[in-house]
Amino acid sequence: MRRIVSPIVNREDRLPPGQHWTNKLHILGISEPPDIDLSNYRLSIFGEVEEKIILTWDDIESLEKVELTADFHCVTRWSCPDVRWTGFHVNELKSLVSIKETAQAVMIHSLDGYTTNIPLDYFFDEDVIFAYRLFDKPLPSDHGFPLRLIVPKLYSWKSAKFVSGIEFMSENRPGYWEQRGYHILGDPWKEQRYGI
Ligand SMILES: Nc1nc2c(c(=O)[nH]1)N[C@H]1C(S)=C(S)[C@@H](COP(=O)(O)O)O[C@H]1N2
Ligand SMILES: [Mo]
């Protein structure tokens, strides 16, 4: 059984300005995909929480499965329609940890050293999931095995691959690309590509 999660995109306004459609997910990353053994994999949830927790792969697989079909918009101007992901919904985190009122944003930490920041209002939304399957097959290593975040309404540099940590932060600190000139939020419909 899996619950279907719908993307929050206005279908008339489906292709953001300055983007063109492509039929595949182009692989983009700061390094080669890390080698991961699921039995050693751990996901830490820490920062502005009452008690930090560490999940194993079994813990992750025991969470309710959700499926999301959403368009994927890369800041380098390609958009791939109807990409189908399976994983768990971000709201699961709220039952796993008690998030402090001081939390304003999350930093996603990845096994390749990548990080990216997202304000809580954008993170805790109906169409945001952590995915471990792509088109109903295990997530390929190039696309983020074993776990990646999917935030369809922001440029895809926010959809961090190889996720190992979720840090709740009291301020919206910039991540890897955000420190190197990418926009702090990255809304494709507002063309928030680079700069503040
Ligand atoms: N851990 C990690 N996640 C990452 C990146 C990265 O370098 N490392 N690149 C980002 C960028 S810039 C894009 S466009 C998408 C690409 O996803 P894909 O390779 O599955 O198409 O992943 C994002 N997530
Ligand atoms: Mo990107």
Side-chain angles (χ1 to χ4, degrees), residues 25-31 72-76 78 85 110-115 142-144 148 156-163 177 182:
L25 282 182
H26 302 276
I27 294 158
L28 289 173
I30 59 169
S31 65
F72 192 85
H73 307 293
C74 178
V75 70
T76 62
W78 55 268
W85 308 96
S110 297
L111 291 160
D112 58 350
Y114 187 80
T115 53
D142 287 339
H143 292 299
R148 81 176 295 176
S156 48
W157 86 78
K158 300 287 184 180
S159 292
K161 307 193 267 192
F162 331 116
V163 172
W177 283 123
Y182 281 32

PDB file of all heavy atoms in Angstrom, residues 25-31 72-76 78 85 110-115 142-144 148 156-163 177 182, ligand 1:
ATOM      1  N   LEU A  25      16.441  12.751 -16.856  1.00  0.00           N
ATOM      2  CA  LEU A  25      17.104  13.409 -15.730  1.00  0.00           C
ATOM      3  C   LEU A  25      18.593  13.396 -16.020  1.00  0.00           C
ATOM      4  O   LEU A  25      19.200  12.332 -16.069  1.00  0.00           O
ATOM      5  CB  LEU A  25      16.888  12.600 -14.448  1.00  0.00           C
ATOM      6  CG  LEU A  25      15.574  12.683 -13.712  1.00  0.00           C
ATOM      7  CD1 LEU A  25      15.663  11.821 -12.459  1.00  0.00           C
ATOM      8  CD2 LEU A  25      15.231  14.110 -13.340  1.00  0.00           C
ATOM      9  N   HIS A  26      19.172  14.538 -16.258  1.00  0.00           N
ATOM     10  CA  HIS A  26      20.608  14.601 -16.514  1.00  0.00           C
ATOM     11  C   HIS A  26      21.317  14.498 -15.178  1.00  0.00           C
ATOM     12  O   HIS A  26      20.863  15.059 -14.184  1.00  0.00           O
ATOM     13  CB  HIS A  26      20.947  15.904 -17.232  1.00  0.00           C
ATOM     14  CG  HIS A  26      20.194  16.032 -18.524  1.00  0.00           C
ATOM     15  ND1 HIS A  26      20.639  15.463 -19.689  1.00  0.00           N
ATOM     16  CD2 HIS A  26      18.993  16.592 -18.794  1.00  0.00           C
ATOM     17  CE1 HIS A  26      19.746  15.685 -20.632  1.00  0.00           C
ATOM     18  NE2 HIS A  26      18.735  16.368 -20.115  1.00  0.00           N
ATOM     19  N   ILE A  27      22.413  13.777 -15.166  1.00  0.00           N
ATOM     20  CA  ILE A  27      23.096  13.556 -13.890  1.00  0.00           C
ATOM     21  C   ILE A  27      24.037  14.715 -13.603  1.00  0.00           C
ATOM     22  O   ILE A  27      24.911  15.034 -14.411  1.00  0.00           O
ATOM     23  CB  ILE A  27      23.845  12.212 -13.915  1.00  0.00           C
ATOM     24  CG1 ILE A  27      22.807  11.087 -14.014  1.00  0.00           C
ATOM     25  CG2 ILE A  27      24.723  12.047 -12.678  1.00  0.00           C
ATOM     26  CD1 ILE A  27      23.348   9.807 -14.566  1.00  0.00           C
ATOM     27  N   LEU A  28      23.821  15.363 -12.472  1.00  0.00           N
ATOM     28  CA  LEU A  28      24.672  16.485 -12.072  1.00  0.00           C
ATOM     29  C   LEU A  28      25.067  16.297 -10.615  1.00  0.00           C
ATOM     30  O   LEU A  28      24.228  16.033  -9.769  1.00  0.00           O
ATOM     31  CB  LEU A  28      23.911  17.813 -12.220  1.00  0.00           C
ATOM     32  CG  LEU A  28      23.662  18.276 -13.647  1.00  0.00           C
ATOM     33  CD1 LEU A  28      22.759  19.491 -13.665  1.00  0.00           C
ATOM     34  CD2 LEU A  28      24.967  18.592 -14.361  1.00  0.00           C
ATOM     35  N   GLY A  29      26.355  16.432 -10.360  1.00  0.00           N
ATOM     36  CA  GLY A  29      26.813  16.271  -8.975  1.00  0.00           C
ATOM     37  C   GLY A  29      28.199  16.835  -8.799  1.00  0.00           C
ATOM     38  O   GLY A  29      28.918  17.029  -9.782  1.00  0.00           O
ATOM     39  N   ILE A  30      28.565  17.095  -7.545  1.00  0.00           N
ATOM     40  CA  ILE A  30      29.870  17.691  -7.260  1.00  0.00           C
ATOM     41  C   ILE A  30      30.982  16.647  -7.232  1.00  0.00           C
ATOM     42  O   ILE A  30      32.147  16.989  -7.223  1.00  0.00           O
ATOM     43  CB  ILE A  30      29.858  18.510  -5.933  1.00  0.00           C
ATOM     44  CG1 ILE A  30      29.456  17.624  -4.742  1.00  0.00           C
ATOM     45  CG2 ILE A  30      28.934  19.721  -6.051  1.00  0.00           C
ATOM     46  CD1 ILE A  30      29.692  18.294  -3.381  1.00  0.00           C
ATOM     47  N   SER A  31      30.607  15.352  -7.191  1.00  0.00           N
ATOM     48  CA  SER A  31      31.631  14.295  -7.230  1.00  0.00           C
ATOM     49  C   SER A  31      30.981  12.991  -7.656  1.00  0.00           C
ATOM     50  O   SER A  31      29.775  12.937  -7.902  1.00  0.00           O
ATOM     51  CB  SER A  31      32.270  14.146  -5.852  1.00  0.00           C
ATOM     52  OG  SER A  31      31.294  13.683  -4.941  1.00  0.00           O
ATOM     53  N   PHE A  72      10.698  18.136 -12.668  1.00  0.00           N
ATOM     54  CA  PHE A  72      12.006  18.365 -12.042  1.00  0.00           C
ATOM     55  C   PHE A  72      12.675  19.495 -12.821  1.00  0.00           C
ATOM     56  O   PHE A  72      12.887  19.387 -14.024  1.00  0.00           O
ATOM     57  CB  PHE A  72      12.788  17.050 -12.189  1.00  0.00           C
ATOM     58  CG  PHE A  72      14.045  16.909 -11.393  1.00  0.00           C
ATOM     59  CD1 PHE A  72      14.001  16.474 -10.075  1.00  0.00           C
ATOM     60  CD2 PHE A  72      15.281  17.155 -11.971  1.00  0.00           C
ATOM     61  CE1 PHE A  72      15.176  16.281  -9.343  1.00  0.00           C
ATOM     62  CE2 PHE A  72      16.454  16.971 -11.247  1.00  0.00           C
ATOM     63  CZ  PHE A  72      16.396  16.529  -9.931  1.00  0.00           C
ATOM     64  N   HIS A  73      12.988  20.598 -12.145  1.00  0.00           N
ATOM     65  CA  HIS A  73      13.491  21.788 -12.834  1.00  0.00           C
ATOM     66  C   HIS A  73      14.923  22.107 -12.418  1.00  0.00           C
ATOM     67  O   HIS A  73      15.168  22.533 -11.283  1.00  0.00           O
ATOM     68  CB  HIS A  73      12.602  22.995 -12.505  1.00  0.00           C
ATOM     69  CG  HIS A  73      11.156  22.749 -12.773  1.00  0.00           C
ATOM     70  ND1 HIS A  73      10.656  22.567 -14.050  1.00  0.00           N
ATOM     71  CD2 HIS A  73      10.086  22.624 -11.934  1.00  0.00           C
ATOM     72  CE1 HIS A  73       9.352  22.358 -13.978  1.00  0.00           C
ATOM     73  NE2 HIS A  73       8.990  22.381 -12.704  1.00  0.00           N
ATOM     74  N   CYS A  74      15.860  21.910 -13.339  1.00  0.00           N
ATOM     75  CA  CYS A  74      17.262  22.215 -13.028  1.00  0.00           C
ATOM     76  C   CYS A  74      17.554  23.670 -13.381  1.00  0.00           C
ATOM     77  O   CYS A  74      17.066  24.187 -14.397  1.00  0.00           O
ATOM     78  CB  CYS A  74      18.189  21.295 -13.802  1.00  0.00           C
ATOM     79  SG  CYS A  74      19.923  21.684 -13.493  1.00  0.00           S
ATOM     80  N   VAL A  75      18.358  24.304 -12.563  1.00  0.00           N
ATOM     81  CA  VAL A  75      18.712  25.705 -12.770  1.00  0.00           C
ATOM     82  C   VAL A  75      19.464  25.903 -14.090  1.00  0.00           C
ATOM     83  O   VAL A  75      19.464  26.995 -14.649  1.00  0.00           O
ATOM     84  CB  VAL A  75      19.505  26.239 -11.549  1.00  0.00           C
ATOM     85  CG1 VAL A  75      20.901  25.622 -11.490  1.00  0.00           C
ATOM     86  CG2 VAL A  75      19.595  27.746 -11.539  1.00  0.00           C
ATOM     87  N   THR A  76      20.070  24.827 -14.640  1.00  0.00           N
ATOM     88  CA  THR A  76      20.758  24.955 -15.925  1.00  0.00           C
ATOM     89  C   THR A  76      19.768  24.892 -17.101  1.00  0.00           C
ATOM     90  O   THR A  76      20.163  24.690 -18.235  1.00  0.00           O
ATOM     91  CB  THR A  76      21.872  23.899 -16.084  1.00  0.00           C
ATOM     92  OG1 THR A  76      21.268  22.603 -16.039  1.00  0.00           O
ATOM     93  CG2 THR A  76      22.914  24.009 -14.985  1.00  0.00           C
ATOM     94  N   TRP A  78      17.033  22.899 -17.928  1.00  0.00           N
ATOM     95  CA  TRP A  78      16.217  21.779 -18.402  1.00  0.00           C
ATOM     96  C   TRP A  78      15.206  21.399 -17.327  1.00  0.00           C
ATOM     97  O   TRP A  78      15.473  21.531 -16.135  1.00  0.00           O
ATOM     98  CB  TRP A  78      17.071  20.578 -18.809  1.00  0.00           C
ATOM     99  CG  TRP A  78      18.027  20.059 -17.772  1.00  0.00           C
ATOM    100  CD1 TRP A  78      19.332  20.437 -17.614  1.00  0.00           C
ATOM    101  CD2 TRP A  78      17.767  19.079 -16.746  1.00  0.00           C
ATOM    102  NE1 TRP A  78      19.886  19.763 -16.555  1.00  0.00           N
ATOM    103  CE2 TRP A  78      18.955  18.914 -16.011  1.00  0.00           C
ATOM    104  CE3 TRP A  78      16.653  18.315 -16.382  1.00  0.00           C
ATOM    105  CZ2 TRP A  78      19.067  18.031 -14.936  1.00  0.00           C
ATOM    106  CZ3 TRP A  78      16.756  17.436 -15.315  1.00  0.00           C
ATOM    107  CH2 TRP A  78      17.959  17.303 -14.613  1.00  0.00           C
ATOM    108  N   TRP A  85       8.625   9.234  -8.038  1.00  0.00           N
ATOM    109  CA  TRP A  85       9.467   8.891  -6.887  1.00  0.00           C
ATOM    110  C   TRP A  85       8.651   8.163  -5.836  1.00  0.00           C
ATOM    111  O   TRP A  85       7.458   8.440  -5.690  1.00  0.00           O
ATOM    112  CB  TRP A  85      10.010  10.171  -6.223  1.00  0.00           C
ATOM    113  CG  TRP A  85      10.690  11.150  -7.134  1.00  0.00           C
ATOM    114  CD1 TRP A  85      10.132  12.249  -7.726  1.00  0.00           C
ATOM    115  CD2 TRP A  85      12.062  11.130  -7.553  1.00  0.00           C
ATOM    116  NE1 TRP A  85      11.080  12.907  -8.476  1.00  0.00           N
ATOM    117  CE2 TRP A  85      12.269  12.250  -8.387  1.00  0.00           C
ATOM    118  CE3 TRP A  85      13.141  10.277  -7.288  1.00  0.00           C
ATOM    119  CZ2 TRP A  85      13.499  12.533  -8.967  1.00  0.00           C
ATOM    120  CZ3 TRP A  85      14.371  10.567  -7.864  1.00  0.00           C
ATOM    121  CH2 TRP A  85      14.546  11.675  -8.695  1.00  0.00           C
ATOM    122  N   SER A 110      24.709  15.666   2.917  1.00  0.00           N
ATOM    123  CA  SER A 110      24.838  14.496   2.050  1.00  0.00           C
ATOM    124  C   SER A 110      26.195  13.829   2.206  1.00  0.00           C
ATOM    125  O   SER A 110      27.160  14.467   2.636  1.00  0.00           O
ATOM    126  CB  SER A 110      24.675  14.928   0.594  1.00  0.00           C
ATOM    127  OG  SER A 110      23.383  15.450   0.401  1.00  0.00           O
ATOM    128  N   LEU A 111      26.249  12.560   1.812  1.00  0.00           N
ATOM    129  CA  LEU A 111      27.475  11.774   1.970  1.00  0.00           C
ATOM    130  C   LEU A 111      28.623  12.229   1.070  1.00  0.00           C
ATOM    131  O   LEU A 111      29.769  11.880   1.310  1.00  0.00           O
ATOM    132  CB  LEU A 111      27.166  10.296   1.714  1.00  0.00           C
ATOM    133  CG  LEU A 111      26.283   9.682   2.801  1.00  0.00           C
ATOM    134  CD1 LEU A 111      25.610   8.414   2.301  1.00  0.00           C
ATOM    135  CD2 LEU A 111      27.095   9.408   4.060  1.00  0.00           C
ATOM    136  N   ASP A 112      28.336  13.015   0.030  1.00  0.00           N
ATOM    137  CA  ASP A 112      29.420  13.546  -0.823  1.00  0.00           C
ATOM    138  C   ASP A 112      29.908  14.905  -0.316  1.00  0.00           C
ATOM    139  O   ASP A 112      30.671  15.586  -0.999  1.00  0.00           O
ATOM    140  CB  ASP A 112      28.945  13.674  -2.285  1.00  0.00           C
ATOM    141  CG  ASP A 112      27.715  14.565  -2.434  1.00  0.00           C
ATOM    142  OD1 ASP A 112      27.101  14.934  -1.411  1.00  0.00           O
ATOM    143  OD2 ASP A 112      27.355  14.893  -3.580  1.00  0.00           O
ATOM    144  N   GLY A 113      29.434  15.340   0.856  1.00  0.00           N
ATOM    145  CA  GLY A 113      29.866  16.630   1.403  1.00  0.00           C
ATOM    146  C   GLY A 113      28.968  17.783   0.987  1.00  0.00           C
ATOM    147  O   GLY A 113      29.164  18.921   1.399  1.00  0.00           O
ATOM    148  N   TYR A 114      27.964  17.466   0.152  1.00  0.00           N
ATOM    149  CA  TYR A 114      27.028  18.491  -0.325  1.00  0.00           C
ATOM    150  C   TYR A 114      26.063  18.873   0.797  1.00  0.00           C
ATOM    151  O   TYR A 114      25.721  18.043   1.641  1.00  0.00           O
ATOM    152  CB  TYR A 114      26.240  17.893  -1.492  1.00  0.00           C
ATOM    153  CG  TYR A 114      25.327  18.828  -2.233  1.00  0.00           C
ATOM    154  CD1 TYR A 114      25.827  19.704  -3.181  1.00  0.00           C
ATOM    155  CD2 TYR A 114      23.946  18.807  -2.016  1.00  0.00           C
ATOM    156  CE1 TYR A 114      24.980  20.545  -3.890  1.00  0.00           C
ATOM    157  CE2 TYR A 114      23.099  19.637  -2.723  1.00  0.00           C
ATOM    158  CZ  TYR A 114      23.618  20.505  -3.656  1.00  0.00           C
ATOM    159  OH  TYR A 114      22.781  21.320  -4.357  1.00  0.00           O
ATOM    160  N   THR A 115      25.632  20.142   0.779  1.00  0.00           N
ATOM    161  CA  THR A 115      24.599  20.596   1.717  1.00  0.00           C
ATOM    162  C   THR A 115      23.655  21.521   0.957  1.00  0.00           C
ATOM    163  O   THR A 115      24.056  22.145  -0.038  1.00  0.00           O
ATOM    164  CB  THR A 115      25.209  21.413   2.891  1.00  0.00           C
ATOM    165  OG1 THR A 115      26.014  22.461   2.353  1.00  0.00           O
ATOM    166  CG2 THR A 115      26.045  20.554   3.826  1.00  0.00           C
ATOM    167  N   ASP A 142      23.704   7.184  -9.186  1.00  0.00           N
ATOM    168  CA  ASP A 142      23.872   8.515  -9.784  1.00  0.00           C
ATOM    169  C   ASP A 142      22.784   9.496  -9.369  1.00  0.00           C
ATOM    170  O   ASP A 142      22.992  10.702  -9.387  1.00  0.00           O
ATOM    171  CB  ASP A 142      23.765   8.421 -11.312  1.00  0.00           C
ATOM    172  CG  ASP A 142      24.968   7.796 -11.928  1.00  0.00           C
ATOM    173  OD1 ASP A 142      26.025   7.796 -11.278  1.00  0.00           O
ATOM    174  OD2 ASP A 142      24.845   7.308 -13.067  1.00  0.00           O
ATOM    175  N   HIS A 143      21.617   8.959  -9.103  1.00  0.00           N
ATOM    176  CA  HIS A 143      20.472   9.820  -8.772  1.00  0.00           C
ATOM    177  C   HIS A 143      20.234   9.939  -7.273  1.00  0.00           C
ATOM    178  O   HIS A 143      19.213  10.463  -6.859  1.00  0.00           O
ATOM    179  CB  HIS A 143      19.212   9.334  -9.492  1.00  0.00           C
ATOM    180  CG  HIS A 143      19.280   9.508 -10.978  1.00  0.00           C
ATOM    181  ND1 HIS A 143      19.414  10.734 -11.586  1.00  0.00           N
ATOM    182  CD2 HIS A 143      19.265   8.600 -11.981  1.00  0.00           C
ATOM    183  CE1 HIS A 143      19.461  10.578 -12.903  1.00  0.00           C
ATOM    184  NE2 HIS A 143      19.382   9.301 -13.162  1.00  0.00           N
ATOM    185  N   GLY A 144      21.189   9.430  -6.472  1.00  0.00           N
ATOM    186  CA  GLY A 144      21.107   9.727  -5.041  1.00  0.00           C
ATOM    187  C   GLY A 144      20.985   8.579  -4.079  1.00  0.00           C
ATOM    188  O   GLY A 144      20.661   8.805  -2.918  1.00  0.00           O
ATOM    189  N   ARG A 148      17.154  10.437  -1.249  1.00  0.00           N
ATOM    190  CA  ARG A 148      17.296  11.841  -1.658  1.00  0.00           C
ATOM    191  C   ARG A 148      16.027  12.605  -1.318  1.00  0.00           C
ATOM    192  O   ARG A 148      14.947  12.032  -1.233  1.00  0.00           O
ATOM    193  CB  ARG A 148      17.631  11.957  -3.144  1.00  0.00           C
ATOM    194  CG  ARG A 148      16.462  11.841  -4.094  1.00  0.00           C
ATOM    195  CD  ARG A 148      16.891  12.063  -5.530  1.00  0.00           C
ATOM    196  NE  ARG A 148      17.379  13.413  -5.778  1.00  0.00           N
ATOM    197  CZ  ARG A 148      17.886  13.819  -6.933  1.00  0.00           C
ATOM    198  NH1 ARG A 148      17.992  12.961  -7.949  1.00  0.00           N
ATOM    199  NH2 ARG A 148      18.284  15.056  -7.084  1.00  0.00           N
ATOM    200  N   SER A 156      16.212  22.107  -8.727  1.00  0.00           N
ATOM    201  CA  SER A 156      16.578  20.773  -8.252  1.00  0.00           C
ATOM    202  C   SER A 156      17.909  20.696  -7.505  1.00  0.00           C
ATOM    203  O   SER A 156      18.233  19.637  -6.977  1.00  0.00           O
ATOM    204  CB  SER A 156      16.534  19.775  -9.399  1.00  0.00           C
ATOM    205  OG  SER A 156      17.198  20.281 -10.506  1.00  0.00           O
ATOM    206  N   TRP A 157      18.665  21.801  -7.411  1.00  0.00           N
ATOM    207  CA  TRP A 157      19.842  21.703  -6.532  1.00  0.00           C
ATOM    208  C   TRP A 157      19.401  21.546  -5.076  1.00  0.00           C
ATOM    209  O   TRP A 157      20.173  21.111  -4.227  1.00  0.00           O
ATOM    210  CB  TRP A 157      20.818  22.865  -6.735  1.00  0.00           C
ATOM    211  CG  TRP A 157      20.557  24.123  -5.962  1.00  0.00           C
ATOM    212  CD1 TRP A 157      20.832  24.343  -4.639  1.00  0.00           C
ATOM    213  CD2 TRP A 157      20.000  25.350  -6.462  1.00  0.00           C
ATOM    214  NE1 TRP A 157      20.465  25.623  -4.284  1.00  0.00           N
ATOM    215  CE2 TRP A 157      19.955  26.261  -5.386  1.00  0.00           C
ATOM    216  CE3 TRP A 157      19.531  25.761  -7.725  1.00  0.00           C
ATOM    217  CZ2 TRP A 157      19.463  27.559  -5.529  1.00  0.00           C
ATOM    218  CZ3 TRP A 157      19.044  27.045  -7.854  1.00  0.00           C
ATOM    219  CH2 TRP A 157      19.012  27.929  -6.779  1.00  0.00           C
ATOM    220  N   LYS A 158      18.111  21.872  -4.785  1.00  0.00           N
ATOM    221  CA  LYS A 158      17.569  21.672  -3.438  1.00  0.00           C
ATOM    222  C   LYS A 158      17.191  20.211  -3.183  1.00  0.00           C
ATOM    223  O   LYS A 158      16.956  19.831  -2.037  1.00  0.00           O
ATOM    224  CB  LYS A 158      16.331  22.556  -3.221  1.00  0.00           C
ATOM    225  CG  LYS A 158      16.587  24.051  -3.363  1.00  0.00           C
ATOM    226  CD  LYS A 158      17.370  24.615  -2.190  1.00  0.00           C
ATOM    227  CE  LYS A 158      17.531  26.132  -2.298  1.00  0.00           C
ATOM    228  NZ  LYS A 158      18.290  26.676  -1.145  1.00  0.00           N
ATOM    229  N   SER A 159      17.072  19.417  -4.255  1.00  0.00           N
ATOM    230  CA  SER A 159      16.699  18.006  -4.102  1.00  0.00           C
ATOM    231  C   SER A 159      17.968  17.189  -3.875  1.00  0.00           C
ATOM    232  O   SER A 159      18.470  16.501  -4.777  1.00  0.00           O
ATOM    233  CB  SER A 159      15.924  17.538  -5.334  1.00  0.00           C
ATOM    234  OG  SER A 159      14.660  18.191  -5.378  1.00  0.00           O
ATOM    235  N   ALA A 160      18.492  17.281  -2.655  1.00  0.00           N
ATOM    236  CA  ALA A 160      19.793  16.694  -2.316  1.00  0.00           C
ATOM    237  C   ALA A 160      19.785  15.179  -2.453  1.00  0.00           C
ATOM    238  O   ALA A 160      18.857  14.502  -2.009  1.00  0.00           O
ATOM    239  CB  ALA A 160      20.183  17.077  -0.895  1.00  0.00           C
ATOM    240  N   LYS A 161      20.855  14.674  -3.080  1.00  0.00           N
ATOM    241  CA  LYS A 161      21.039  13.226  -3.222  1.00  0.00           C
ATOM    242  C   LYS A 161      21.863  12.714  -2.036  1.00  0.00           C
ATOM    243  O   LYS A 161      22.450  13.497  -1.298  1.00  0.00           O
ATOM    244  CB  LYS A 161      21.796  12.950  -4.526  1.00  0.00           C
ATOM    245  CG  LYS A 161      21.127  13.607  -5.746  1.00  0.00           C
ATOM    246  CD  LYS A 161      21.668  13.097  -7.057  1.00  0.00           C
ATOM    247  CE  LYS A 161      22.795  13.904  -7.622  1.00  0.00           C
ATOM    248  NZ  LYS A 161      23.081  13.532  -9.046  1.00  0.00           N
ATOM    249  N   PHE A 162      21.948  11.409  -1.870  1.00  0.00           N
ATOM    250  CA  PHE A 162      22.810  10.726  -0.849  1.00  0.00           C
ATOM    251  C   PHE A 162      22.638  11.345   0.544  1.00  0.00           C
ATOM    252  O   PHE A 162      23.626  11.608   1.256  1.00  0.00           O
ATOM    253  CB  PHE A 162      24.302  10.816  -1.215  1.00  0.00           C
ATOM    254  CG  PHE A 162      24.609  10.890  -2.681  1.00  0.00           C
ATOM    255  CD1 PHE A 162      25.207  12.013  -3.246  1.00  0.00           C
ATOM    256  CD2 PHE A 162      24.292   9.814  -3.513  1.00  0.00           C
ATOM    257  CE1 PHE A 162      25.492  12.074  -4.601  1.00  0.00           C
ATOM    258  CE2 PHE A 162      24.585   9.871  -4.879  1.00  0.00           C
ATOM    259  CZ  PHE A 162      25.185  11.019  -5.421  1.00  0.00           C
ATOM    260  N   VAL A 163      21.399  11.577   0.945  1.00  0.00           N
ATOM    261  CA  VAL A 163      21.161  12.291   2.217  1.00  0.00           C
ATOM    262  C   VAL A 163      21.608  11.453   3.422  1.00  0.00           C
ATOM    263  O   VAL A 163      21.294  10.263   3.520  1.00  0.00           O
ATOM    264  CB  VAL A 163      19.655  12.639   2.356  1.00  0.00           C
ATOM    265  CG1 VAL A 163      19.353  13.201   3.735  1.00  0.00           C
ATOM    266  CG2 VAL A 163      19.253  13.638   1.277  1.00  0.00           C
ATOM    267  N   TRP A 177      25.818  25.266  -2.758  1.00  0.00           N
ATOM    268  CA  TRP A 177      25.675  26.166  -3.914  1.00  0.00           C
ATOM    269  C   TRP A 177      25.227  27.564  -3.489  1.00  0.00           C
ATOM    270  O   TRP A 177      25.583  28.558  -4.132  1.00  0.00           O
ATOM    271  CB  TRP A 177      24.697  25.602  -4.962  1.00  0.00           C
ATOM    272  CG  TRP A 177      25.304  24.504  -5.784  1.00  0.00           C
ATOM    273  CD1 TRP A 177      24.836  23.228  -5.940  1.00  0.00           C
ATOM    274  CD2 TRP A 177      26.500  24.577  -6.586  1.00  0.00           C
ATOM    275  NE1 TRP A 177      25.667  22.505  -6.755  1.00  0.00           N
ATOM    276  CE2 TRP A 177      26.692  23.304  -7.173  1.00  0.00           C
ATOM    277  CE3 TRP A 177      27.439  25.589  -6.855  1.00  0.00           C
ATOM    278  CZ2 TRP A 177      27.770  23.011  -8.016  1.00  0.00           C
ATOM    279  CZ3 TRP A 177      28.514  25.293  -7.698  1.00  0.00           C
ATOM    280  CH2 TRP A 177      28.665  24.028  -8.265  1.00  0.00           C
ATOM    281  N   TYR A 182      24.384  30.748  -5.744  1.00  0.00           N
ATOM    282  CA  TYR A 182      23.006  30.389  -6.095  1.00  0.00           C
ATOM    283  C   TYR A 182      22.065  31.095  -5.131  1.00  0.00           C
ATOM    284  O   TYR A 182      22.428  31.421  -4.007  1.00  0.00           O
ATOM    285  CB  TYR A 182      22.804  28.870  -5.995  1.00  0.00           C
ATOM    286  CG  TYR A 182      23.337  28.071  -7.168  1.00  0.00           C
ATOM    287  CD1 TYR A 182      24.454  28.476  -7.882  1.00  0.00           C
ATOM    288  CD2 TYR A 182      22.723  26.890  -7.551  1.00  0.00           C
ATOM    289  CE1 TYR A 182      24.931  27.725  -8.952  1.00  0.00           C
ATOM    290  CE2 TYR A 182      23.195  26.126  -8.606  1.00  0.00           C
ATOM    291  CZ  TYR A 182      24.305  26.551  -9.309  1.00  0.00           C
ATOM    292  OH  TYR A 182      24.766  25.801 -10.343  1.00  0.00           O
TER     293      TYR A 182
HETATM  294  N1  LIG B   1      24.376  15.257  -2.688  1.00  0.00           N
HETATM  295  C1  LIG B   1      24.192  15.980  -3.808  1.00  0.00           C
HETATM  296  N2  LIG B   1      22.948  16.266  -4.188  1.00  0.00           N
HETATM  297  C2  LIG B   1      22.732  17.004  -5.298  1.00  0.00           C
HETATM  298  C3  LIG B   1      23.814  17.501  -6.058  1.00  0.00           C
HETATM  299  C4  LIG B   1      25.137  17.165  -5.628  1.00  0.00           C
HETATM  300  O1  LIG B   1      26.148  17.549  -6.230  1.00  0.00           O
HETATM  301  N3  LIG B   1      25.284  16.393  -4.502  1.00  0.00           N
HETATM  302  N4  LIG B   1      23.551  18.250  -7.177  1.00  0.00           N
HETATM  303  C5  LIG B   1      22.236  18.921  -7.249  1.00  0.00           C
HETATM  304  C6  LIG B   1      21.953  19.465  -8.560  1.00  0.00           C
HETATM  305  S1  LIG B   1      22.760  20.908  -8.978  1.00  0.00           S
HETATM  306  C7  LIG B   1      20.988  18.929  -9.393  1.00  0.00           C
HETATM  307  S2  LIG B   1      20.512  19.669 -10.843  1.00  0.00           S
HETATM  308  C8  LIG B   1      20.321  17.639  -9.062  1.00  0.00           C
HETATM  309  C9  LIG B   1      20.524  16.635 -10.178  1.00  0.00           C
HETATM  310  O2  LIG B   1      19.834  15.446  -9.918  1.00  0.00           O
HETATM  311  P1  LIG B   1      20.036  14.202 -10.899  1.00  0.00           P
HETATM  312  O3  LIG B   1      21.527  13.966 -11.022  1.00  0.00           O
HETATM  313  O4  LIG B   1      19.298  13.071 -10.269  1.00  0.00           O
HETATM  314  O5  LIG B   1      19.433  14.608 -12.232  1.00  0.00           O
HETATM  315  O6  LIG B   1      20.839  17.073  -7.852  1.00  0.00           O
HETATM  316  C10 LIG B   1      21.100  18.000  -6.827  1.00  0.00           C
HETATM  317  N5  LIG B   1      21.442  17.261  -5.651  1.00  0.00           N
END
